[in-house]
């Protein structure tokens, strides 16, 4: 299994004794988990809201307030639609199919640099409008592993907000989706300078729920509930809390806080060995799609293509007998045999992007497993190219 960017197995974080906790005990368990998540991201416990999963934690920052005189994320904009900025592609909330709109909001998709594979701060700032209220950028791309310059973007937005305040314009808030980065590298909301940060449990060996960090929840940074109900999570997320899952998420966060440096070092060692073996086995036919000059990337992610007209990523995977991996993000699985929009936007040529495979290693992936994968890939390529030769010439 080398698809840890898609999902990870549940670590030893099951909290079955808490399956039916009562009263104060349940509250204590939830508060302890909240503290663990806050510690993992360098924030305050009171700024953590538990959600059903990553999708809700991504959607919550753009919920519109009840008043029509306000824009999403709590920015007052009278007499016009509010505006969101994001990086294209890769934003989990919006897609080009929405026509650049999300509810009453206008959405601008800023392309990544074809040189660095990153969303550059200059490009983000140049797309800001008077009605812009939210900038949302992935901390790490799930297909290439490239780390986005979120601290720089946040700093420059903060400086711009001072000028906007003087002009009577609403402040711009900054959100980052940290789903891919957590558990693979240090994540600190103070270093990032963000107002919102999305946490997804199943990406770091936790249960399939999520959480949202909100800087100064309800005071410095507004948040509007998606649903109305019983007032749980201080009225920001109503509904009876899923205490066992929350407890498991807290345990998974504790493991990240305690062992993140060791996890990162191990994954980088195995990933680097993987890329060395790819180049040794396939030589100049290998194109490493996730390596960009001057760009940092996740320690576990290798996106590559094996050049050849018969070696489309999906076909190679179909021939593999032991390797479990993917050709890209699950949210782009409906593109069929078309190359990943993420890779195309990064400047990867069409024929190369069409052959792409994404291998992402985990905490327990070994060099021995890499060697097995190399054997599997080598056989798969040989089979595909052998079939192509037979189609071109009669085979006995």
């Amino acid at each position: 299994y080398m698809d840890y960017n898609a999902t990870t197995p549940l670590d030893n974080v099951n909290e079955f004794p808490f399956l039916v906790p009562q009263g104060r005990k349940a509250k204590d368990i939830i508060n302890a988990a909240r503290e663990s998540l806050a510690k993992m991201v360098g924030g305050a416990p009171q700024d953590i809201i538990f959600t059903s999963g990553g999708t809700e934690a991504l959607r919550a920052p753009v919920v519109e307030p009840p008043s029509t005189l306000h824009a999403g994320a709590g920015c007052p904009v009278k007499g016009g639609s509010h505006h969101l900025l994001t990086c294209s592609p890769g934003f989990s909330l919006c897609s080009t199919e929405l026509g650049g709109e999300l509810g009453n909001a206008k959405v601008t998709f800023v392309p990544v640099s074809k040189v660095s594979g990153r969303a550059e701060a200059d490009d983000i700032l140049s797309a800001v409008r008077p009605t812009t209220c939210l900038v949302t950028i992935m901390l790490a791309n799930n297909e290439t592993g490239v780390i986005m310059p979120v601290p720089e973007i946040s700093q420059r937005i903060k400086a711009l907000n001072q000028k906007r305040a003087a002009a009577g314009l609403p402040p711009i808030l900054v959100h980052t989706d940290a789903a891919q980065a957590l558990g693979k590298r240090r994540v600190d909301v103070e270093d990032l300078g963000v107002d919102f940060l999305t946490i997804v449990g199943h990406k770091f060996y936790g249960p399939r729920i999520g959480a949202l960090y909100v800087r100064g929840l309800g005071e410095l940074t507004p948040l509007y509930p998606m649903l109305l109900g019983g007032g749980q999570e201080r009225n920001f997320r109503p509904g009876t809390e899923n205490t066992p899952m929350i407890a498991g998420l807290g345990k998974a966060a504790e493991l990240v806080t305690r062992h993140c440096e060791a996890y990162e070092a191990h994954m980088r060692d195995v990933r680097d060995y993987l890329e060395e073996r790819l180049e040794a086995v396939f030589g100049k036919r290998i194109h490493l799609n996730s390596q960009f000059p001057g760009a940092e990337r996740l320690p576990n992610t290798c996106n590559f293509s094996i050049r050849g007209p018969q070696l489309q990523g999906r076909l190679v995977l179909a021939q593999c007998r032991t390797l479990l991996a993917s050709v890209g993000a699950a949210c782009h699985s409906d593109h069929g045999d078309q190359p990943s929009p993420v890779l195309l936007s990064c400047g990867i040529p069409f024929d190369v992007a069409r052959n792409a495979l994404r291998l992402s290693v985990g905490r327990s992936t070994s060099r021995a497993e890499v060697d097995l994968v190399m054997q599997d890939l080598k056989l798969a390529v040989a089979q595909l190219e052998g079939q192509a030769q037979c189609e071109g010439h009669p085979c006995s």
Side-chain angles (χ1 to χ4, degrees):
Y1 181 77
M2 289 196 177
D3 204 13
Y4 289 89
N5 280 10
T7 193
T8 59
L10 191 66
D11 208 329
N12 187 25
V13 298
N14 289 316
E15 294 298 311
F16 293 111
F18 302 145
L19 194 57
V20 192
Q22 299 177 359
R24 167 56 70 177
K25 184 178 180 181
K27 186 174 182 180
D28 290 344
I29 292 167
I30 292 170
N31 286 339
R34 203 185 310 276
E35 290 177 3
S36 295
L37 262 70
K39 187 174 182 180
M40 177 178 67
V41 301
Q46 63 268 26
D47 291 342
I48 298 290
I49 292 292
F50 292 108
T51 66
S52 60
T55 298
E56 182 185 343
L58 286 165
R59 182 65 174 83
V62 296
V63 171
E64 296 181 49
S67 171
T68 58
L69 297 180
H70 292 75
C75 304
V77 180
K78 296 183 180 181
S81 175
H82 52 287
H83 177 237
L84 310 180
L85 269 176
T86 188
C87 177
S88 174
F91 181 34
S92 301
L93 295 178
C94 313
S95 67
T96 53
E97 284 79 5
L98 291 174
E101 296 185 3
L102 180 66
N104 293 323
K106 301 296 183 182
V107 182
T108 295
F109 299 89
V110 179
V112 297
S113 166
K114 287 180 167 52
V115 175
S116 67
R118 309 190 314 171
E120 299 295 355
D122 285 343
D123 296 330
I124 296 292
L125 269 292
S126 65
V128 168
R129 303 177 186 175
T131 54
T132 302
C133 289
L134 183 71
V135 170
T136 174
I137 303 292
M138 300 175 82
L139 181 52
N141 185 271
N142 48 353
E143 294 193 37
T144 63
V146 169
I147 308 297
M148 302 298 167
V150 173
E152 179 188 359
I153 293 170
S154 296
Q155 290 171 6
R156 294 186 61 178
I157 291 293
K158 188 176 296 185
L160 178 62
N161 279 341
Q162 296 179 354
K163 299 178 181 179
R164 288 170 66 91
L169 294 175
I172 301 171
L173 302 177
V174 180
H175 164 262
T176 192
D177 177 5
Q180 286 298 337
L182 286 167
K184 301 166 189 169
R185 71 193 305 271
R186 181 175 174 270
V187 174
D188 188 290
V189 293
E190 295 304 321
D191 293 343
L192 295 172
V194 294
D195 302 292
F196 301 100
L197 182 139
T198 292
I199 300 167
V200 182
H202 74 96
K203 300 291 189 178
F204 58 95
Y205 295 75
R208 289 180 175 269
I209 62 169
L212 178 68
Y213 162 82
V214 187
R215 182 183 298 276
L217 176 61
E219 298 178 2
L220 297 177
T221 306
L223 184 73
Y224 300 100
M226 297 175 65
L227 303 169
L228 299 178
Q232 291 85 356
E233 294 295 285
R234 288 159 291 161
N235 290 312
F236 290 108
R237 205 281 177 180
T240 302
E241 294 95 339
N242 190 339
T243 306
M245 297 282 270
I246 289 173
L249 186 64
K251 293 295 182 181
E254 288 179 19
L255 291 175
V256 169
T257 300
R258 193 178 307 136
H259 303 297
C260 189
E261 291 184 2
Y263 294 155
E264 181 177 2
H266 171 77
M267 288 186 282
R268 178 172 285 108
D269 175 75
V270 176
R271 191 275 312 275
D272 289 350
Y273 179 69
L274 167 64
E275 294 182 346
E276 291 171 8
R277 295 298 301 142
L278 284 169
E279 292 180 321
V281 171
F282 297 105
K284 294 182 179 180
R285 302 180 68 186
I286 282 291
H287 186 274
L288 297 175
N289 303 321
S290 50
Q291 290 189 1
F292 295 89
E296 185 184 1
R297 59 179 171 141
L298 293 174
N300 79 318
T301 305
C302 172
N303 193 306
F304 68 95
S305 299
I306 307 172
R307 291 185 176 92
Q310 299 84 27
L311 303 181
Q312 295 180 25
R314 294 181 187 277
L315 298 180
V316 173
L317 278 182
Q319 289 291 331
C320 288
R321 296 186 177 184
T322 60
L323 172 63
L324 298 174
S326 65
V327 296
C331 54
H332 296 140
S333 59
D334 58 348
H335 286 275
D337 290 331
Q338 293 299 308
S340 160
V342 170
L343 296 183
L344 294 177
S345 71
C346 293
I348 305 298
F350 185 95
D351 289 343
V352 177
R354 186 177 55 183
N355 289 13
L357 293 172
R358 181 192 68 180
L359 271 57
S360 47
V361 305
R363 298 173 186 175
S364 62
T365 308
S366 67
R367 288 189 171 209
E369 289 177 319
V370 170
D371 292 335
L372 291 174
V373 166
M374 289 303 104
Q375 295 176 23
D376 205 10
L377 286 172
K378 190 175 180 179
L379 286 173
V381 169
Q383 289 173 345
L384 289 171
E385 293 184 328
Q387 291 172 7
Q389 289 177 358
C390 286
E391 289 173 0
H393 303 280
C395 295
S396 57

